[in-house]
Every structure is written in C-alpha cells, then in structure tokens.
Amino acid sequence: MKKILVIALSGIGDALMFTPALSILKKTLPSSEIDALIMFKGVKDIYERLPEINTIHYFDFLKNSKLDSLKFVMQLRKNEYDAVINVYPSNRKEYNLISLLIGAPKRAGIEYLRSNIKELGFLNNIRVREDDSVHNVEENIKLVEKLTGAKETDISGLRVILNSEEIEFANQFVSKIKENENQLLIGFHPGCNTLKNHEKRRWEIEKFAELGNKLIEKFDAKILLFGGPDEIDLKMGVINKIKKDSAFSVDTNTFTQTAAIIEKVDLFITNDSSLMHTAAAMKRDVIAIIGPTNKNYIYPWKTNYEIASLELECSPCFIYSPRPLTCSRTDIQFKCIKELNVDTVYNKALQMLQKTN
C-alpha cells in the first residue's frame, strides 16, 4: 500500500480521535504516502500539521452541489490510491459511496451495529464489527490493524500541534485576565454540534452560570467561555448571569488559537463536544457532561477526567447513524441532561481542583 487516503469528513472531535490510529498507520507503513480528505476548516487546521499526512484534499461537500462533489471525487480517483479508510464514526451512505468512487482496491470501514446496510456499509471490503464497549480511538486502531495486519500496544493520546505564534497568543490572552499567577482559570463549553438535533445534548446555560458563580465564590476563579462563531449567544447567555468581571468570552480566528487557550486552563467543563476532545488533546483536566451519548465511545482520551451523568436506565440512546437524536421517554424528554443538577457537576469540580491544588 504505497498510497492511502484517510476520509475524515465528520467533525473535529472524530478527526482528533483518529490521530492515534494515524500514528500507528504511519509507524506500520513508514514508506506509504498518506493523504486526507476533509471538509471542515478546523480539521484542516489539525491535519495539515501532522507529520504523517502528505497532502490535504479540502472540499466542502455541504456547500457544493452533488455534481461538483462528484467531479471532485472523480478527480481524486486519478491519484490511484491503494487503500482508503473511513474514519470512525462515519455511518453515512455518502461517505461509503465516496470511498467506492475513489477506486481504491482496499476500502476499510466499520461494520456498524445499526443502519449498516441502509448506509451502504457493505461497500467497504475491509471491515471491523462495531463494539459498543470500546472507545472511538480503539475502534479506529482496530480498523488500521485490520488493514495492515499489524498489532500495536503503544497507543498515543490525541494530538493538536501548536506553533509559537499561537502559544504567544494564548499567553497574551491569559495575561490580560489573570489577576495573579496562581489564579485558577476554568473553561466552560456550553455548546455542541447542532446537526441532527444534537443541541439536545446541551446542559442549560443557567446551570453553567450557577456553576460558574459557585466556583468563583469558592476559588476566586476566572471563567473562560469557549465556543464557535455560532455559539456567541450561548457564551454571552452564561457571561451575563455570572459575577461581573469574572467571566470572559474566548474569541479566536482559528481552531488552533482556541486549542492554545484551552491548554492554559486548570479545568475544562464541557458538554459532549469537539472541544471536549480538544481539551483531552491538550492534556487538561476535564469534566464531561454526558446525557444520551455512550460514554464508552467518547470519554476524554488519555487525560484526567470525570463524567457527570445521571446514569439513567434508558441511557445511552444515541447511536451512530444519520437519523436525528430522539428521546423515547414519556415523562421528561431528555431527562438525562435536563435533570442533571449543578451540585453534581460542582462536587466533581471540587474533587478535581482539590487534587491538583
């Protein structure tokens, strides 16, 4: 396999959770040329700095027509790849069709437990059966091992590579906020992806604000609110309910600038989101607020973390398929997130902060 294409068309979190497998792939096949097909700018920011990646093919399939998308894929076919890998999770028929149209004789993908036939998973000819008990990172590694025939026990953490300008940007940002060197910085991410009804995974902004005020009162902490351009209202909704001059919006121009500031916080408290995985990549202490998602899939990888969850009998209910997130409960819709109270998260924060300070 001299030429391999990694198809990483899902979001930042999924792309990050493939980075340990990517490292193993290059270690196993050091002379192979590994390219990546992506459609999100944040993923481009991550992958273009990874030493394993040779070429980035960046194309926004969501904003382009089906005809233009087909033309782009057929151009990639000319590269004559020996193998393609669909990053897990990517349980969509469009991704599997792209994998087929690339024309590589070896097409690696997960055999999903749900919606696999409907989403054309059978188009992949190197398959690993999905396992609900293991992390996404481990699923990706099993996929690479099946493709290469090699086994690897040395598994790395998630990776984001920062440059000196981004590190200095973060230093300057933090220096304007901290009143003294020892003051705690606590990051909040009240958002998450909204596609397929996933905003239902979000903890209420009122609870983030109440939690922030409790942490400010206890530790004299400063709260940093993280989120993308479409999450400004969420961030300001929290800030406006927090003690004056104690909460700040993190506004950056690139994903890697955001990652650089996350690296400066003492604790990161977040919904199930791409920034949760970013905090894991930056080796931060993380409290993950988990509702309908299977925590086995997505817990913060290879960093110190706690999960805040109600552990309801109906959880987890979120599965990897294109269908929107729904709740089957008849009493309280999405009770798993709506009834998770502030004290539960606050007590986990106390435990983590008291261990490290």
Side-chain angles (χ1 to χ4, degrees), residues 269-288:
I269 303 175
T270 174
N271 294 322
D272 168 17
S273 70
S274 62
L275 291 189
M276 177 183 75
H277 299 298
T278 307
M282 308 320 291
K283 296 292 185 278
R284 297 298 85 201
D285 289 351
V286 179
I287 295 176

Side-chain angles (χ1 to χ4, degrees), residues 99-124:
S99 178
L100 179 69
L101 291 172
I102 294 295
K106 295 182 179 181
R107 300 180 300 279
I110 293 294
E111 180 185 346
Y112 292 86
L113 297 176
R114 275 90 35 177
S115 302
N116 189 66
I117 294 176
K118 180 181 177 182
E119 299 306 322
L120 310 182
F122 55 84
L123 294 179
N124 300 305

Side-chain angles (χ1 to χ4, degrees), residues 84-135:
V84 295
I85 305 172
N86 255 319
V87 167
Y88 178 83
S90 55
N91 191 17
R92 296 187 66 93
K93 58 181 176 293
E94 294 86 353
Y95 300 162
N96 291 319
L97 280 169
I98 289 170
S99 178
L100 179 69
L101 291 172
I102 294 295
K106 295 182 179 181
R107 300 180 300 279
I110 293 294
E111 180 185 346
Y112 292 86
L113 297 176
R114 275 90 35 177
S115 302
N116 189 66
I117 294 176
K118 180 181 177 182
E119 299 306 322
L120 310 182
F122 55 84
L123 294 179
N124 300 305
N125 56 17
I126 296 174
R127 295 185 290 269
V128 172
R129 189 163 176 79
E130 188 177 28
D131 184 344
D132 284 341
S133 70
V134 304
H135 197 280

Side-chain angles (χ1 to χ4, degrees), residues 28-65:
T28 306
L29 302 171
S31 61
S32 290
E33 176 184 306
I34 303 173
D35 296 347
L37 173 60
I38 60 179
M39 69 173 172
F40 292 108
K41 178 63 168 57
V43 179
K44 180 176 181 290
D45 291 343
I46 298 166
Y47 273 38
E48 66 186 0
R49 298 184 186 185
L50 296 177
E52 297 90 349
I53 296 294
N54 185 72
T55 301
I56 296 285
H57 301 291
Y58 178 46
F59 186 84
D60 192 336
F61 289 92
L62 295 177
K63 291 183 179 179
N64 283 277
S65 68

Side-chain angles (χ1 to χ4, degrees), residues 5-244:
L5 180 67
V6 173
I7 300 176
L9 295 175
S10 45
I12 290 172
D14 295 341
L16 277 172
M17 287 187 284
F18 188 75
T19 55
L22 179 61
S23 178
I24 291 170
L25 180 63
K26 188 63 175 179
K27 179 180 176 181
T28 306
L29 302 171
S31 61
S32 290
E33 176 184 306
I34 303 173
D35 296 347
L37 173 60
I38 60 179
M39 69 173 172
F40 292 108
K41 178 63 168 57
V43 179
K44 180 176 181 290
D45 291 343
I46 298 166
Y47 273 38
E48 66 186 0
R49 298 184 186 185
L50 296 177
E52 297 90 349
I53 296 294
N54 185 72
T55 301
I56 296 285
H57 301 291
Y58 178 46
F59 186 84
D60 192 336
F61 289 92
L62 295 177
K63 291 183 179 179
N64 283 277
S65 68
K66 291 181 180 179
L67 180 58
D68 286 341
S69 297
L70 178 60
K71 288 179 180 178
F72 180 82
V73 171
M74 298 312 289
Q75 281 293 115
L76 286 183
R77 187 183 178 95
K78 296 178 181 179
N79 290 325
E80 298 183 346
Y81 289 104
D82 301 300
V84 295
I85 305 172
N86 255 319
V87 167
Y88 178 83
S90 55
N91 191 17
R92 296 187 66 93
K93 58 181 176 293
E94 294 86 353
Y95 300 162
N96 291 319
L97 280 169
I98 289 170
S99 178
L100 179 69
L101 291 172
I102 294 295
K106 295 182 179 181
R107 300 180 300 279
I110 293 294
E111 180 185 346
Y112 292 86
L113 297 176
R114 275 90 35 177
S115 302
N116 189 66
I117 294 176
K118 180 181 177 182
E119 299 306 322
L120 310 182
F122 55 84
L123 294 179
N124 300 305
N125 56 17
I126 296 174
R127 295 185 290 269
V128 172
R129 189 163 176 79
E130 188 177 28
D131 184 344
D132 284 341
S133 70
V134 304
H135 197 280
N136 288 7
V137 168
E138 296 167 302
E139 294 277 32
N140 280 312
I141 288 170
K142 289 195 293 183
L143 196 56
V144 165
E145 289 177 339
K146 184 69 175 288
L147 176 65
T148 64
K151 291 288 184 180
E152 181 60 60
T153 57
D154 184 18
I155 302 172
S156 70
L158 312 184
R159 283 181 299 149
V160 175
I161 298 172
L162 304 177
N163 62 34
S164 58
E165 289 82 7
E166 290 153 354
I167 293 169
E168 180 57 25
F169 173 85
N171 288 336
Q172 291 294 327
F173 184 94
V174 167
S175 68
K176 295 174 184 177
I177 291 172
K178 293 182 73 169
E179 295 169 356
N180 61 73
E181 187 177 338
N182 296 321
Q183 189 165 42
L184 286 178
L185 288 182
I186 300 175
F188 283 1
H189 183 213
C192 71
N193 196 337
T194 59
L195 294 175
K196 298 185 295 182
N197 213 23
H198 283 194
E199 69 275 5
K200 299 298 184 181
R201 293 183 292 163
R202 293 174 174 175
W203 206 40
E204 296 97 323
I205 60 172
E206 293 79 10
K207 291 179 180 176
F208 272 107
E210 184 182 343
L211 175 65
N213 283 322
K214 288 170 77 75
L215 292 169
I216 291 164
E217 182 179 354
K218 176 69 175 178
F219 295 104
D220 188 32
K222 297 293 186 182
I223 308 296
L224 301 185
L225 271 297
F226 290 83
D230 58 337
E231 294 176 341
I232 293 173
D233 289 345
L234 279 178
K235 293 193 291 182
M236 295 310 300
V238 177
I239 289 170
N240 290 336
K241 294 177 173 61
I242 285 182
K243 181 182 175 182
K244 187 178 178 182

